[in-house]
């Protein structure tokens, strides 16, 4: 009788140990998968916010190269200097910041569905079975900076691009834990081919 009780006790103890180990493993896998998917979701959301924010801001500004760039030539037709209107560029920059921040704010709570089998780490069954939904809570801020890029495209021909460098810091919230991710994107908002001999240093920024 005592032996049977001891056997039952050992079986229950083994089952309990396996159950605790399974719960710990499942929780570890859940945190790992959730962190990876949250990072992927946050970066995708930030990239989408940048793309749409820049596109909307540039379209509303109705910005053309000739509106923001003035080229000065010498008596021989060589390029002497290039002046960019920073006031107009700053207007676009501020609009992009507002639009990107607004879009990230609108997507601050994104539902993500994960099949329960994904938590077990087996590629054969991963993606199968019922799905578990959790929410990625995020916030973020954008910053922008303009950059002049010059590339030779032929004899006495130089391509001038005005690039808008957008950087977004996204904060993903897990209870009391916060993870920060940075997403960067360079977008060309205006470009033109300059014909004529150009010096190595020719960009002159004016207010």
């Amino acid at each position: 009788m005592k032996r049977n009780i001891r056997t039952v006790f050992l079986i229950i103890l083994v089952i309990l140990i396996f159950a605790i180990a399974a719960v710990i493993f499942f929780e570890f896998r859940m945190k790992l998968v959730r962190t990876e998917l949250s990072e992927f979701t946050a970066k995708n959301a930030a990239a989408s916010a940048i793309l749409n924010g820049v596109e909307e801001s540039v379209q509303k500004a109705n910005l053309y190269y000739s509106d923001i760039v003035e080229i000065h030539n010498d008596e021989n037709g060589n390029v002497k200097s290039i002046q960019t209107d920073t006031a107009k560029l700053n207007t676009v920059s501020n609009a992009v910041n507002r639009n990107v921040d607004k879009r990230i704010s609108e997507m601050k709570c994104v539902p993500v569905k994960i099949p329960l089998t994904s938590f077990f780490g087996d590629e054969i069954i991963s993606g199968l079975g019922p799905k578990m939904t959790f929410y990625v809570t995020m916030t973020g801020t954008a910053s922008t900076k303009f950059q002049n890029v010059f590339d030779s495209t032929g004899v006495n021909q130089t391509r001038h691009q005005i690039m808008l460098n957008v950087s977004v810091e996204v904060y993903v919230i897990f209870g009391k834990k916060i993870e920060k991710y940075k997403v960067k994107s360079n977008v060309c908002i205006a470009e033109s081919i300059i014909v004529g001999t150009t010096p190595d240093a020719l960009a002159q920024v004016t207010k």
Side-chain angles (χ1 to χ4, degrees):
M1 184 67 178
K2 290 182 178 180
R3 181 176 297 178
N4 291 338
I5 294 176
R6 184 178 298 175
T7 302
V8 172
F9 176 77
L10 288 176
I11 293 174
I12 294 175
L13 182 60
V14 170
I15 293 174
L16 184 61
I17 291 173
F18 272 105
I20 293 174
V23 170
I24 293 174
F25 174 77
F26 183 80
E27 185 177 357
F28 172 77
R29 283 291 305 169
M30 184 174 65
K31 288 181 179 179
L32 183 62
V33 172
R34 187 181 67 175
T35 299
E36 292 177 352
L37 285 181
S38 295
E39 179 181 358
F40 177 78
T41 302
K43 287 184 176 180
N44 271 0
S48 177
I50 290 174
L51 178 63
N52 294 325
V54 171
E55 183 178 1
E56 179 183 335
S57 300
V58 172
Q59 285 181 351
K60 283 187 177 180
N62 197 24
L63 200 65
Y64 294 96
Y65 183 87
S66 58
D67 296 330
I68 52 178
V69 177
E70 186 177 354
I71 301 175
H72 299 274
N73 301 88
D74 59 19
E75 61 276 6
N76 297 319
N78 298 320
V79 177
K80 184 170 60 175
S81 67
I82 294 177
Q83 294 179 323
T84 56
D85 191 333
T86 56
K88 290 182 179 179
L89 292 179
N90 286 336
T91 299
V92 175
S93 176
N94 293 334
V96 169
N97 283 340
R98 289 193 300 269
N99 282 334
V100 174
D101 287 345
K102 178 183 176 183
R103 279 173 163 74
I104 293 177
S105 176
E106 290 173 348
M107 296 185 292
K108 64 182 179 181
C109 193
V110 181
V112 178
K113 294 185 177 182
I114 308 175
L116 290 177
T117 51
S118 299
F119 295 120
F120 296 100
D122 193 328
E123 294 183 1
I124 297 177
I125 63 173
S126 181
L128 302 176
K131 294 183 179 181
M132 176 180 178
T133 302
F134 74 95
Y135 293 86
V136 179
T137 303
M138 70 184 79
T139 183
T141 56
S143 61
T144 55
K145 181 176 67 174
F146 283 101
Q147 178 184 8
N148 289 289
V149 178
F150 298 90
D151 294 313
S152 176
T153 58
V155 179
N156 290 336
Q157 290 186 349
T158 302
R159 180 176 62 184
H160 177 207
Q161 292 180 308
I162 298 179
M163 305 295 295
L164 181 63
N165 302 329
V166 186
S167 178
V168 175
E169 288 189 345
V170 186
Y171 299 88
V172 179
I173 305 168
F174 297 121
K176 296 181 179 179
K177 187 178 178 182
I178 299 177
E179 294 287 346
K180 183 176 76 171
Y181 307 108
K182 180 169 284 189
V183 180
K184 295 183 179 181
S185 182
N186 300 326
V187 184
C188 178
I189 65 168
E191 69 175 342
S192 181
I193 301 297
I194 302 171
V195 179
T197 303
T198 58
D200 292 335
L202 50 72
Q204 178 182 349
V205 180
T206 61
K207 293 184 180 180

